[in-house]
Amino acid sequence: MDHLPTKPRLREQFRSVIRLNRYSIRTEKSYWYWIRYYIRFHGMRHPLELGPEDVNAFLSWLATDRQVAAATQNLALNALVFLYARVFERPLGDIGNTVRVKRPPKLPAVLTHQEAMSIIERLTNPYQLLASLMYGAGLRVVESARLRVKDIDFQRQIITVRDGKGDKDRTTLLPASLIAPLLRRKEEIQTGWKHHESFYKIPVSLPFALRRR
């Protein structure tokens, strides 16, 4: 007698849908973290057994008991909205009057150029180069860490950022002062890789299609 195919586990359903919609790996991890948190908060009950009022209770608890930041509460809400609307195809609708975290009016602390350079100069490589790329080219942490040689146009002094925020590509300027350090770093990596140095055997995340290749 043939066995009926088993229904995919929630984690597998979620992963399949979020990758089909081409969300970033970081978003996938963040959303899954809050979905698990939500399930544990409600005594390991399946989300399909829960509804808008349960989402309301969870978000309000985050604000009152955990005292999370407004951005954190919004991230948890986005994760649950995605779960119900995209994975279950059962949009939450009105979740009621949730206790929302208020954003305090704060002015951002901005370093002067001299202060920023003083901090960067205290770093060792490759972290000094990463910080320089973030400061000089406007790259995010993950974007600078994932930067590939093929995405740097030394002649035109342009950096192409692949799969940035919102799964979008963009270009940014490469400061002239970083050309020489980047070329040196390229040489170091090639030499270290050829000599099978352990540092260059550390695995890194890759876009799905590139990883298959």
Side-chain angles (χ1 to χ4, degrees):
M1 181 177 178
D2 294 334
H3 294 286
L4 293 175
T6 57
K7 190 175 181 180
R9 296 170 63 88
L10 178 59
R11 175 66 187 272
E12 294 169 354
Q13 289 179 275
F14 165 78
R15 181 184 295 170
S16 175
V17 173
I18 201 166
R19 293 187 179 180
L20 182 65
N21 285 273
R22 296 183 60 81
Y23 281 70
S24 71
I25 290 294
R26 292 189 71 188
T27 301
E28 178 182 327
K29 290 180 178 179
S30 297
Y31 277 18
W32 182 244
Y33 171 84
W34 287 110
I35 290 169
R36 286 188 304 164
Y37 209 145
Y38 171 67
I39 292 171
R40 289 198 300 269
F41 176 78
H42 287 293
M44 303 303 291
R45 293 171 63 193
H46 195 283
L48 283 175
E49 300 175 11
L50 307 170
E53 64 280 0
D54 302 298
V55 172
N56 185 322
F58 175 63
L59 294 174
S60 297
W61 176 79
L62 288 178
T64 56
D65 288 51
R66 286 296 308 278
Q67 298 181 341
V68 300
T72 302
Q73 189 187 40
N74 288 334
L75 179 60
L77 173 60
N78 292 339
L80 296 177
V81 167
F82 178 88
L83 175 67
Y84 282 96
R86 298 291 187 89
V87 180
F88 298 149
E89 297 184 349
R90 298 181 183 180
L92 279 171
D94 185 13
I95 63 173
N97 296 321
T98 305
V99 177
R100 302 307 297 267
V101 180
K102 295 181 180 179
R103 292 179 181 269
K106 292 183 179 179
L107 293 175
V110 180
L111 299 176
T112 65
H113 177 71
Q114 185 176 0
E115 289 172 333
M117 295 307 297
S118 176
I119 293 173
I120 292 173
E121 287 169 1
R122 293 173 181 269
L123 300 174
T124 57
N125 276 321
Y127 310 109
Q128 185 181 87
L129 183 54
L130 289 171
S132 299
L133 282 168
M134 288 184 276
Y135 182 69
L139 300 185
R140 297 179 175 88
V141 177
V142 173
E143 292 169 350
S144 59
R146 289 180 178 174
L147 189 62
R148 296 179 292 174
V149 174
K150 63 178 292 184
D151 295 328
I152 306 174
D153 188 331
F154 292 100
Q155 187 174 0
R156 295 192 298 161
Q157 292 184 218
I158 292 176
I159 294 175
T160 301
V161 179
R162 306 290 182 184
D163 297 322
K165 190 172 183 180
D167 197 30
K168 296 177 182 178
D169 295 349
R170 75 176 193 280
T171 58
T172 184
L173 296 178
L174 168 64
S177 60
L178 294 183
I179 293 177
L182 281 168
L183 288 172
R184 284 198 300 270
R185 182 62 182 164
K186 177 183 173 184
E187 268 187 53
E188 290 171 6
I189 292 173
Q190 288 176 332
T191 304
W193 182 76
K194 286 178 181 177
H195 288 83
H196 305 285
E197 292 182 14
S198 59
F199 180 83
Y200 300 100
K201 294 181 181 179
I202 300 172
V204 297
S205 61
L206 292 171
F208 304 120
L210 182 61
R211 188 176 184 178
R212 287 196 299 272
R213 288 175 61 188

